[in-house]
Amino acid sequence: MELLEMTSFITNLSGWAGIPLMIFGLLLCLAGRFFIRFIVAIAVFIPVFLTSNLLTGQYGGLEGDDAMVAGIVLGLIAAGFAASLYSRIHIFLAGVFGLILMSVILGFVNSFYNIEGMIYLLVLDLGFIIGAKLFRHMEDELHYTAPSAVGGLLISAGYSLWTVAANELSEFEPFGTVNSIILFVAMMGGAFFQMWMWGEGGYYERWKEGGGGLPSVRR
């Protein structure tokens, strides 16, 4: 399934576009807790943009470029609204986590049964809603896991762009089987690393309590 087939500009990209995606994804896996608002905005923008683009193009009667503009506008509105609700931001983080988990599941299912684009997007949106309902009470954990999930998604998408560049960009499948494995490993590895490094009682906190500044060199 060609998930991003509706975005015509993807054909103008090269494999080099995957490198900054992978670098930024790695940054989110290692220190995503410092970019919570941005992560929520991006995570809300992507499904709203894709769903709105598809709905306005197939059912709204808009042409390709007009449908893309409508999707961008609606996505930006939704992203700005989500990022502004900081007191409730853990609910959106829970939704992000649910969406990523659903994408991993769909990636494996899609390797055996081809899923139509509209159904795929609707199930992803459903994963966001289910995640927001089930995981919203895990506020502290979500501040580490959700950013790592988004980082893993960017790493897998960047890897996909990089590998298909030698063939055809129309083969870009960020939720394919291999990319789903990359996403899952990056998500879990990043979450554990951030909890170890930045969590309560973590390495950074112990280092600050041990003196704060750089250790002096004794002669």
Side-chain angles (χ1 to χ4, degrees):
M1 185 195 67
E2 299 169 3
L3 179 62
L4 299 183
E5 185 178 6
M6 75 289 289
T7 55
S8 60
F9 67 87
I10 197 70
T11 58
N12 298 320
L13 295 176
S14 68
W16 295 103
I19 296 179
L21 280 178
M22 288 187 284
I23 293 175
F24 186 57
L26 181 62
L27 176 63
L28 293 183
C29 287
L30 298 178
R33 67 184 293 267
F34 300 106
F35 304 92
I36 293 296
R37 285 184 183 271
F38 179 76
I39 290 169
V40 169
I42 290 295
V44 172
F45 172 82
I46 291 175
V48 172
F49 163 69
L50 292 176
T51 305
S52 301
N53 190 6
L54 191 61
L55 289 176
T56 55
Q58 291 189 358
Y59 303 104
L62 297 180
E63 298 295 333
D65 292 339
D66 293 334
M68 182 178 295
V69 171
I72 291 175
V73 171
L74 292 174
L76 288 175
I77 292 174
F81 176 75
S84 66
L85 299 177
Y86 193 77
S87 61
R88 299 286 183 178
I89 210 164
H90 62 282
I91 298 177
F92 291 100
L93 290 176
V96 171
F97 186 56
L99 184 148
I100 299 298
L101 285 180
M102 186 64 74
S103 72
V104 173
I105 295 172
L106 289 177
F108 284 107
V109 173
N110 192 60
S111 63
F112 300 101
Y113 304 98
N114 189 38
I115 305 174
E116 295 296 329
M118 188 61 194
I119 297 176
Y120 205 108
L121 291 175
L122 289 177
V123 175
L124 284 180
D125 292 339
L126 182 62
F128 186 94
I129 296 172
I130 294 174
K133 182 69 175 178
L134 291 181
F135 304 114
R136 60 181 178 179
H137 303 297
M138 302 168 56
E139 185 171 351
D140 292 335
E141 292 84 355
L142 287 169
H143 277 76
Y144 304 107
T145 307
S148 298
V150 177
L153 176 61
L154 293 181
I155 292 174
S156 66
Y159 173 79
S160 184
L161 272 177
W162 176 259
T163 54
V164 304
N167 302 313
E168 293 184 12
L169 288 173
S170 61
E171 299 177 11
F172 178 40
E173 297 183 11
F175 298 121
T177 303
V178 174
N179 288 321
S180 294
I181 295 174
I182 294 174
L183 189 159
F184 183 77
V185 171
M187 175 178 67
M188 300 309 296
F192 281 114
F193 173 83
Q194 289 194 75
M195 285 188 284
W196 171 78
M197 173 63 74
W198 312 111
E200 184 177 354
Y203 178 82
Y204 180 72
E205 188 174 292
R206 296 196 304 271
W207 176 78
K208 287 183 63 178
E209 292 176 352
L214 294 175
S216 59
V217 178
R218 295 184 179 179
R219 294 183 180 180

